[in-house]
Amino acid sequence: MNKPLQFYSTNLKAGTLSFHEALLQGQAPDKGLYMPVSIPLIPIEAIREFRQMEYPEIAYHVTKPWLAGEIPDKDLKAIINDSYDYEIPLEQVFERKYVMRLDRGPTASFKDFAARMMGRLMQYYLKAENRRLLILTATSGDTGSAVANAFYGLDDIDIVVLFPRDEVTDRQRKQMTTLGKNVKVLALDAKFDDCQALVKRAFADPELASFHLSSANSINIGRLVPQIVYYFYAYAKLSRPGEQIIFSVPSGNFGDMMGGVLAMKMGLPVRKFIIATNENDEFPNYLFSGTYEKLEPSRNCISSAMNVGHPSNLARLLALYGGVMDEKGIIHHASDIEQMRKELWAVSITDEETRRTIKEAWNTWKLLLEPHGSVGWAGLLRYLQEHEKQLAGDQLCVSLETAHPAKFPEEIQKITGINPPLPKSLQGIDAKPEYLDDIKNNYADFKTWLKSKFKL
Ligand SMILES: *Cc1c(COP(=O)(O)O)cnc(C)c1O
């Protein structure tokens, strides 16, 4: 096997380490985020061969160079086959404009892609080292359920999920609270950013070091690598030889979009990434003006999983363009904004436009979107409109749908009159008992709770 790929911290004050070490650690000790020292390349001829492959085989070829020397091929294949056993529809909307539905996993969210592979990889390495981990994760909706579901019942991992009580739907909450076993859930009277802040503080707390805390949020590099794969998949299945693709990504913490940008840096022929946010418009403003201003607090929108003021992966994105941003959001070194503008385009979509887009997509094309996917689709339509003259009519474009419409039944019914049928994974959940604790938005209370539940 080859020498393992090395990962450095975006704060530049920690040593480099391999994928599996970065995976188990989560955040770097200097509070930075791990990024690869160099990005593995996949030649275009190899990408062309993906056309004949099923998803798990593509996933194997795309993730293998990231894990080189760290896992035998047959074990990686087994983990991937076990993670991806559901369909990934590419729905044609008009001409060569598609929606990729990433919502067919066990929690009906795109986060299943990352959580399932990450959980299995973590379990694999922990078993080999005879260790345990306690995963802390803050969620604005779907991370918690995807991670809880992916890690539920694993032998060597305990999970604590913190979520903002009023910002998730009943169904999203029940997907986390009805599990039990090694999954503990905490409701906070706070915002997502507050939950995230408690988690980050716990990671940095020396008194908790013997818990072996780690993160399953998209600050963990193990979340990003599996999210590179579906960009290759869409391109392989839809492209004509030699052409470039445009992706639109509904974005909150920018983990999904980072997967895409890494795919491009690995050699995927991408013409543009459209980064579509809801009213949390920190990044669109930055890309447009070149002046960075942190957005605090976050704004509440109907695409609740994207109610993020300051995206936690922004430090990674800036690092890819030569910048340095610390964990507080302070820029120590500017990134190449011109290059960023060549590759990325960003837009903020209001709730009003999100709702209108759901309605028009249904009426015009019988395309059923939920609020997050609607932000992505609205972003794509806006881009096409503003760049009509530069783009050929047959430009290939793919917008990502990140959750199943049945997770937002009230909103969808109000707008379209349709009651989206529940996917199998969500059936029966409404009647199950819930297990959860309440705590105040206060670090001392959080720490006391942790110590009462787990032995140091
Ligand atoms: C988490 C989430 C997003 C945002 O993804 P990021 O990686 O945080 O940008 C979008 N849509 C849904 C449904 C999500 O759960």
Side-chain angles (χ1 to χ4, degrees):
M1 292 197 274
N2 315 326
K3 185 176 173 303
L5 185 63
Q6 293 294 294
F7 292 80
Y8 73 95
S9 163
T10 51
N11 278 355
L12 306 176
K13 294 192 189 89
T16 63
L17 37 65
S18 71
F19 179 84
H20 112 254
E21 292 165 324
L23 171 77
L24 295 183
Q25 209 173 80
Q27 195 172 27
D30 64 357
K31 299 190 191 165
L33 306 179
Y34 284 115
M35 279 292 277
V37 166
S38 63
I39 296 177
L41 289 176
I42 301 188
I44 189 70
E45 303 76 47
I47 297 175
R48 239 175 255 136
E49 284 170 22
F50 290 174
R51 175 180 294 273
Q52 276 78 39
M53 298 179 191
E54 298 298 321
Y55 192 86
E57 204 181 342
I58 298 175
Y60 168 72
H61 288 287
V62 172
T63 58
K64 181 181 149 82
W66 294 82
L67 295 152
E70 296 224 292
I71 184 167
D73 286 353
K74 73 165 191 356
D75 293 341
L76 179 59
K77 279 185 182 159
I79 285 174
I80 286 172
N81 286 334
D82 192 38
S83 303
Y84 304 117
D85 55 359
Y86 48 88
E87 53 171 339
I88 303 153
L90 285 158
E91 185 174 327
Q92 186 179 22
V93 185
F94 66 91
E95 293 162 4
R96 296 181 74 227
K97 319 297 179 241
Y98 292 80
V99 164
M100 176 159 57
R101 294 201 181 268
L102 301 172
D103 59 359
R104 303 298 153 98
T107 70
S109 147
F110 91 98
K111 294 194 171 77
D112 289 325
F113 282 83
R116 283 167 72 80
M117 186 164 171
M118 180 172 71
R120 284 160 178 74
L121 281 171
M122 279 182 164
Q123 173 70 28
Y124 177 86
Y125 291 121
L126 289 170
K127 259 251 157 352
E129 294 174 15
N130 199 14
R131 290 173 52 192
R132 286 190 74 77
L133 269 190
L134 174 56
I135 302 277
L136 298 184
T137 195
T139 185
S140 52
D142 288 346
T143 301
S145 50
V147 167
N149 194 286
F151 287 60
Y152 171 71
L154 294 183
D155 295 338
D156 302 305
I157 305 180
D158 290 300
I159 297 274
V160 174
V161 183
L162 289 79
F163 75 92
R165 167 177 289 289
D166 298 328
E167 289 183 26
V168 308
T169 67
D170 286 354
R171 261 183 204 148
Q172 282 177 320
R173 189 188 67 246
K174 284 183 177 159
Q175 284 185 291
M176 308 184 264
T177 56
T178 54
L179 289 167
K181 273 198 187 168
N182 60 335
V183 175
K184 308 258 186 303
V185 183
L186 279 176
L188 269 80
D189 190 10
K191 287 178 173 283
F192 167 75
D193 294 345
D194 302 315
C195 299
Q196 180 86 304
L198 288 185
V199 166
K200 285 191 172 171
R201 201 161 152 194
F203 288 141
D205 188 340
E207 276 187 47
L208 298 179
S210 58
F211 278 149
H212 298 294
L213 298 179
S214 189
S215 156
N217 278 81
S218 54
I219 60 174
N220 192 312
I221 188 74
R223 273 280 293 279
L224 297 193
V225 171
Q227 291 176 176
I228 299 171
V229 179
Y230 42 76
Y231 294 93
F232 278 95
Y233 176 80
Y235 182 81
K237 296 295 164 184
L238 299 174
S239 67
R240 296 171 183 157
E243 78 174 343
Q244 290 184 313
I245 187 169
I246 294 175
F247 284 106
S248 183
V249 188
S251 294
N253 270 313
F254 286 17
D256 197 359
M257 179 275 274
M258 272 305 297
V261 176
L262 288 172
M264 173 171 65
K265 302 283 171 191
M266 288 179 79
L268 191 69
V270 177
R271 176 171 180 146
K272 204 68 132 187
F273 279 102
I274 299 162
I275 300 171
T277 70
N278 59 22
E279 292 170 27
N280 290 281
D281 57 0
E282 181 190 279
F283 185 75
N285 288 343
Y286 168 61
L287 194 66
F288 181 73
S289 69
T291 309
Y292 176 72
E293 262 180 77
K294 196 167 175 175
L295 178 71
E296 260 174 341
S298 58
R299 297 171 183 153
N300 273 352
C301 297
I302 56 169
S303 47
S304 57
M306 306 193 321
N307 290 342
V308 179
H310 170 64
S312 55
N313 276 291
L314 196 54
R316 280 198 171 107
L317 185 70
L318 298 197
L320 269 187
Y321 293 90
V324 178
M325 171 184 265
D326 71 16
E327 74 284 358
K328 299 194 187 76
I330 296 167
I331 296 181
H332 295 268
H333 190 278
S335 48
D336 183 348
I337 194 127
E338 283 314 314
Q339 187 61 27
M340 240 189 222
R341 286 176 182 150
K342 274 191 201 130
E343 297 176 351
L344 315 174
W345 190 80
V347 60
S348 161
I349 304 292
T350 62
D351 271 357
E352 193 209 331
E353 191 170 352
T354 306
R355 290 195 173 99
R356 195 172 62 233
T357 303
I358 293 175
K359 191 180 183 105
E360 287 176 3
W362 179 251
N363 290 341
T364 314
W365 301 293
K366 289 287 169 278
L367 169 67
L368 192 59
L369 296 170
E370 53 70 58
H372 306 81
S374 172
V375 168
W377 182 249
L380 174 60
L381 294 182
R382 187 90 71 82
Y383 182 83
L384 292 175
Q385 199 178 34
E386 290 187 19
H387 298 80
E388 212 184 336
K389 294 205 176 65
Q390 295 103 296
L391 293 174
D394 66 349
Q395 170 67 50
L396 176 61
C397 300
V398 174
S399 185
L400 274 49
E401 177 49 287
T402 48
H404 196 285
K407 290 179 105 165
F408 307 88
E410 297 86 6
E411 197 68 49
I412 304 298
Q413 181 139 34
K414 214 164 41 186
I415 298 172
T416 64
I418 302 278
N419 189 7
L422 271 186
K424 240 197 349 268
S425 57
L426 301 184
Q427 288 169 12
I429 202 166
D430 291 342
K432 287 190 186 158
E434 296 189 63
Y435 309 92
L436 82 165
D437 286 344
D438 277 279
I439 60 160
K440 297 215 175 64
N441 175 21
N442 170 321
Y443 184 67
D445 286 8
F446 177 47
K447 197 163 157 177
T448 307
W449 181 90
L450 272 178
K451 286 183 169 168
S452 74
K453 295 284 171 187
F454 302 97
K455 292 282 153 285
L456 275 167

